[in-house]
Structures are given as C-alpha cells and as structure tokens.
Amino acid sequence: MLPRPTPATAEALPGGRGFAVVDVEATGRSPWRHRVVEVAVVVLDERLCPEGEFATLLDPLGPVGPTHVHRIRQADVEGAPRFREIAPRLLELLAGRVLVGHHVSCDHAFLDREFARIGVSLPPVPLLCTMGLARAHLPEARGHGLAACAEAAGLGWYPAHTALGDARVTAELLRHCVGVPSCPPDDWAGPLREAARVPWPRLGRARSRPSGDAVPLLRREAPYGPWLPGSAAPEVVLTQAGAMCSTA
C-alpha cells in the first residue's frame, strides 16, 4: 500500500468520495482500434489516504500488442478476464470520484471506449492530470513523462509500464504536487465537488463463467523501491489475485 500522506496534503471535504488513480496498458495507441490489456486503480479518499487497489490483466480477444513496451506476453493473458467481466467492479471503484492519471485523457479515452463496447456510457467525470500538475508545480523535472516527474519528486524507482506500478507512483505524485505551497486548493477541491454530484451507471456483478468458475483476476507485481541507480530492475511477477465473486 502507499505510505500515508504528509500533513501538507488536502483537507477532507464533505460530500466528496475522493480520487480514483487509474492506469491502463493497451494493445496500441488508438482507443478506437486497440484494446485495454491491463488496468489498475488506486483508490484514495478526500485526504489522499489509500483505501484500496484493484489490478488485473485482461484478455483483449486478440494480439497483446507491443510486448517490448508493456512486457505482457500472449501467454500471460490466457485465462484472464475480459473487460465486460470486470466492468461492474470498475464502475463501483470510479463512481463519485475524481479520475486521476498521468496524461489522464488517454486513460479515460481507453476506458470510455471499453465501456462503450459493452453498451455503457460513462458520465462526464471530472479529470485531474498529474502531468498538468507537474508542469505547474514541479519545475525541476527534466521532462513531463511519469518517470521524469517521479524522479524530480524523489519517489524512486517503480515498475514502469505495469498498470499497478504506474498507478501507485501516480498517486504518490498527486500527493507531492498537492502538497507543495504553489498548488492552490482549487486544483483539487473543485474536481472533488464536481465528482460528488455526477450520477453513475451501475451494472450487476460479473456472473460466473460457463464452467461455473468465478471470474479470475491476474495481477502483475514487482518490488516497489527503493532502487539504486545502475542496478538491474527486478522482474515483474504474474500472480493470480483471487477471483471476483460469482452471482446467480
């Protein structure tokens, strides 16, 4: 889990539910032509305290795409859930929260298209981009990519291009940017108030598969720092993270 926030972070606001920090890995760059192959959500309350995590590989029903980037092999997604099977849980995690990401419009576009494919329209959810926050409040960063911003914020090594690794460090980057004196409350308080008023659709929980087995979750994990420059990055490990409960 993420470390607890420092006293400089946001005060709790009545009526808001907090933040959902998301990251997706995809089979390509186009939300219209490509599919999500991994998704992660780190859930934070209004004070940016951690409330939980969700992550799984997904079966994209086709080639996994650029393995050299996300390091997901075709064999890794065998038996993984399809998006429609985890969609009800995702809606529960996102509802009432500000959607946060590094270049969040990209993650939002992929999620929007995946939900649209199963006939669900996402509401106009407030977005908060840590790339934009870093541009404004992290001037020492050598660039605006997630790795450069994490380095400038002193967050150390993280397992890049794993959805959970990226979501975790994005949550830490959010805390860092919100906690600096130059960040006005409106940068985060306004989206929180908006999010609390957005009506969200609901779906019934995922049903069990034809075999009767509950829907599985396949999660990639890697050690999360500290990391010494010049040392080899640890290997990402694939584990079965339990299963989603089946319903009648």
Side-chain angles (χ1 to χ4, degrees), residues 137-248:
H137 309 297
L138 200 61
E140 62 272 30
R142 296 184 297 176
H144 297 109
L146 185 55
C149 292
E151 180 184 15
L155 302 180
W157 182 87
Y158 67 99
H161 297 298
T162 66
L164 186 55
D166 285 355
R168 283 171 171 168
V169 81
T170 299
E172 291 194 27
L173 183 60
L174 173 65
R175 287 203 195 117
H176 179 88
C177 290
V178 166
V180 301
S182 63
C183 185
D186 281 350
D187 278 7
W188 49 266
L192 269 179
R193 295 189 184 97
E194 291 178 44
R197 296 192 293 264
V198 173
W200 276 78
R202 291 187 177 274
L203 290 174
R205 284 297 186 99
R207 296 180 179 274
S208 59
R209 291 181 163 178
S211 63
D213 295 333
V215 177
L217 298 178
L218 294 179
R219 178 161 160 163
R220 290 198 297 169
E221 279 282 9
Y224 190 78
W227 175 70
L228 298 176
S231 61
E235 182 180 355
V236 173
V237 178
L238 179 64
T239 61
Q240 181 150 353
M244 297 181 64
C245 295
S246 59
T247 61

Side-chain angles (χ1 to χ4, degrees), residues 35-55:
R35 303 296 300 272
V36 173
V37 73
E38 186 179 30
V39 61
V41 183
V42 174
V43 182
L44 308 174
D45 68 11
E46 300 96 325
R47 289 179 173 268
L48 303 180
C49 293
E51 293 188 316
E53 296 178 340
F54 174 88

Side-chain angles (χ1 to χ4, degrees), residues 86-111:
I86 59 113
R89 181 61 178 144
L90 272 185
L91 284 177
E92 291 175 356
L93 291 171
L94 301 180
R97 299 182 186 269
V98 179
L99 195 67
V100 182
H102 202 75
H103 194 14
V104 67
S105 60
C106 180
D107 299 291
H108 176 261
F110 271 101
L111 291 176

